């Protein structure tokens, strides 16, 4: 299969603004991933192309980008799953929206991770450690299971219109992490995980737009978790 990739390029040190450059690859299989194509382009055609990747297996969250306008992981998207690819339509690749561009497809995730830190994304325990492990029932663990699959790729948060209209919004990834620890029955300070989220620029700025769910490469129903957290905050305040 012959495919043209239309990739957004931008080097802030040299370019006045971002622009698109086309690269064509031949001999691709439908089972090749977009990340494989990016490697081919970088290693065979243009070594100046910059993008992040590490694990190449959907685990590290480093290669989030917008492919044909949809945020996803380049290492998890097979060419055969891209709509219209057989018809020869170019595949457009852009950096994740909204975040500042460092170069080409590499974005600055500082703000994203600063917001994540606000929810204290770790187990808080105040009692002395037990002689054995801290127990949790299977049902309690099951409640958290989906939220623990998050790999912090930022595909959800950067797809959210509530963030685009207000950069102070903490975003769905941080809210999901708040859920993950506030609902952990071993945690002894759920209010500390919820404090940063229970504000005008927190969970209450989510208007249930669902872009985050569409974008999540781990298929996490983020909106359901947000709704559970909202219910908990309301019931805790009564
Ligand atoms: Fe990525 Fe999904 Fe986690 Fe959002 S919730 S950061 S989209 S893995
Ligand atoms: Fe944004 Fe998702 Fe809420 S897209 S508005 S965080 S449901
Ligand atoms: Fe690690 Fe894609 S390279 S998630």
């Amino acid at each position: 299969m012959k495919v043209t990739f239309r990739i957004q390029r931008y080097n802030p040190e040299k370019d006045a603004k971002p622009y698109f450059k086309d690269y064509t690859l031949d001999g691709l299989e439908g089972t090749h991933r977009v990340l494989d194509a990016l490697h081919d382009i970088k290693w065979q055609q243009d070594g100046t192309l910059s993008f992040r990747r590490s694990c190449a297996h959907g685990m590290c969250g480093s290669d989030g980008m917008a492919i044909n306008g949809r945020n996803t992981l380049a290492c998890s998207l097979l060419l055969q799953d891209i709509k219209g690819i057989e018809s020869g339509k170019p595949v457009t690749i852009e950096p994740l929206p909204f975040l500042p561009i460092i170069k080409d497809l590499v974005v600055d995730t500082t703000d994203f991770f600063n917001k994540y830190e606000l929810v204290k994304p770790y187990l808080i325990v105040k009692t002395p450690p037990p002689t054995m492990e801290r127990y949790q029932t299977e049902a309690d663990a099951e409640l958290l299971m989906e939220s623990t699959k998050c790999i912090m790729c930022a595909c959800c948060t950067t797809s959210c219109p509530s963030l685009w209209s207000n950069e102070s919004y903490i975003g769905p990834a941080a809210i999901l992490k708040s859920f993950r620890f506030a609902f952990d029955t071993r945690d002894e300070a759920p209010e500390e995980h919820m404090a940063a989220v229970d504000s005008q620029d927190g969970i209450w700025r989510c208007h249930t737009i669902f872009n985050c769910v569409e974008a999540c490469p781990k298929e996490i129903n983020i909106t359901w978790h947000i709704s559970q957290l909202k219910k908990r905050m309301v019931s805790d305040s009564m």
Side-chain angles (χ1 to χ4, degrees), residues 6-111:
R6 185 158 291 164
I7 303 179
Q8 182 175 306
R9 303 295 311 268
Y10 180 51
N11 180 348
E13 290 177 5
K14 290 200 311 205
D15 304 322
K17 57 180 186 184
Y19 63 96
F20 284 95
K21 187 168 175 186
D22 285 358
Y23 300 89
T24 301
L25 294 172
D26 208 349
L28 293 170
E29 302 283 340
T31 50
H32 281 143
R33 303 160 306 170
V34 173
L35 183 62
D36 298 322
L38 287 172
H39 281 147
D40 285 353
I41 292 166
K42 184 169 179 70
W43 294 335
Q44 294 163 20
Q45 296 190 17
D46 188 346
T48 68
L49 177 65
S50 299
F51 54 91
R52 280 198 187 101
R53 79 287 194 200
S54 181
C55 71
H57 291 286
M59 296 307 294
C60 71
S62 63
D63 64 339
M65 53 190 74
I67 302 171
N68 279 351
R70 181 169 175 243
N71 291 0
T72 191
L73 300 174
C75 68
S76 299
L77 183 61
L78 301 182
L79 299 184
Q80 65 195 21
D81 294 333
I82 298 176
K83 215 170 152 193
I85 199 160
E86 299 288 355
S87 67
K89 209 171 147 205
V91 176
T92 305
I93 306 182
E94 299 162 276
L96 287 177
F98 195 72
L99 299 179
I101 299 171
I102 295 175
K103 184 170 179 288
D104 298 332
L105 304 175
V106 179
V107 289
D108 183 351
T109 52
T110 306
D111 182 63

Side-chain angles (χ1 to χ4, degrees), residues 168-171 175 196-206:
S168 302
Y169 175 41
I170 196 162
I175 297 174
V197 167
D198 190 5
S199 69
Q200 274 307 313
D201 288 330
I203 202 165
W204 307 109
R205 204 164 282 286
C206 167

Side-chain angles (χ1 to χ4, degrees), residues 92-153:
T92 305
I93 306 182
E94 299 162 276
L96 287 177
F98 195 72
L99 299 179
I101 299 171
I102 295 175
K103 184 170 179 288
D104 298 332
L105 304 175
V106 179
V107 289
D108 183 351
T109 52
T110 306
D111 182 63
F112 175 73
F113 280 101
N114 283 345
K115 286 171 177 168
Y116 159 72
E117 291 291 339
L118 291 175
V119 306
K120 301 190 179 179
Y122 40 82
L123 205 65
I124 301 175
V125 286
K126 306 197 171 181
T127 52
T131 47
M132 300 286 282
E133 65 206 87
R134 291 182 194 273
Y135 287 117
Q136 189 172 44
T137 67
E138 268 185 44
D140 289 342
E142 188 56 36
L143 179 66
L144 304 177
M145 200 55 76
E146 194 174 335
S147 63
T148 61
K149 290 181 184 157
C150 174
I151 55 171
M152 295 304 291
C153 66

